[in-house]
Amino acid sequence: MLHHVEINVSDLSKATEFWGWFLGELNYEVYQRWDEGISWKCNMTYIVFVQTEERFIQAGYHRARVGLNHLAFYADSRKHVDQMTEKLRNKHIPILYQDRHPFAGGADHYAVFFEGPDRLKVELVAPD
């Protein structure tokens, strides 16, 4: 079981708005909050977002570089994926691979792929 993941972000306020909404939809709750960060927890696993120091923001992030590519979360069902896809669209959150949605991960992989504020790819996957 994964204990936690920590992600540095360029704008903690934007990250808190985006991740707070999404993780709340998946039953995560705010776990810790301090001036430079926030975390959400579900069961025993938590996700931490920390404000990157100004001097490091210039380098930027890209999921194709060495490092974290994306985070994938389980949805409750295919219907849940569809409902979340609609909510993402209503919030104008960029959905990736729209030409292959909801099977961008393959014929047996029902999911929605989208981007967070720092362009980190996020995936919500229906169970088999």
Side-chain angles (χ1 to χ4, degrees):
M1 176 182 286
L2 186 65
H3 187 271
H4 74 276
V5 174
E6 185 169 317
I7 301 171
N8 291 338
V9 297
S10 65
D11 185 323
L12 184 60
S13 178
K14 285 182 184 178
T16 299
E17 181 180 340
F18 173 83
W19 289 103
W21 166 78
F22 177 69
L23 293 173
E25 291 281 333
L26 301 181
N27 298 316
Y28 282 74
E29 296 180 353
V30 172
Y31 176 51
Q32 301 162 315
R33 188 186 301 260
W34 63 103
D35 289 345
E36 298 84 27
I38 187 168
S39 66
W40 283 269
K41 187 174 186 177
C42 184
N43 298 321
M44 296 178 63
T45 302
Y46 63 98
I47 302 173
V48 183
F49 299 91
V50 178
Q51 176 65 53
T52 300
E53 291 180 35
E54 187 67 35
R55 63 188 172 127
F56 295 122
I57 292 176
Q58 298 295 344
Y61 166 82
H62 196 286
R63 65 181 175 269
R65 294 186 188 135
V66 173
L68 182 67
N69 176 273
H70 72 280
L71 295 175
F73 297 86
Y74 274 111
D76 295 331
S77 62
R78 286 183 174 203
K79 182 178 179 180
H80 188 206
V81 169
D82 295 341
Q83 291 169 336
M84 289 297 288
T85 300
E86 188 61 30
K87 289 179 181 184
L88 291 163
R89 286 187 174 127
N90 289 340
K91 290 181 165 288
H92 306 287
I93 294 171
I95 296 175
L96 304 173
Y97 322 121
Q98 290 192 46
D99 59 326
R100 295 177 280 152
H101 174 77
F103 295 103
D108 296 329
H109 191 80
Y110 198 93
V112 59
F113 295 83
F114 53 100
E115 285 186 335
D118 282 315
R119 300 199 63 205
L120 174 67
K121 182 169 52 174
V122 185
E123 180 180 359
L124 183 63
V125 185
D128 295 335

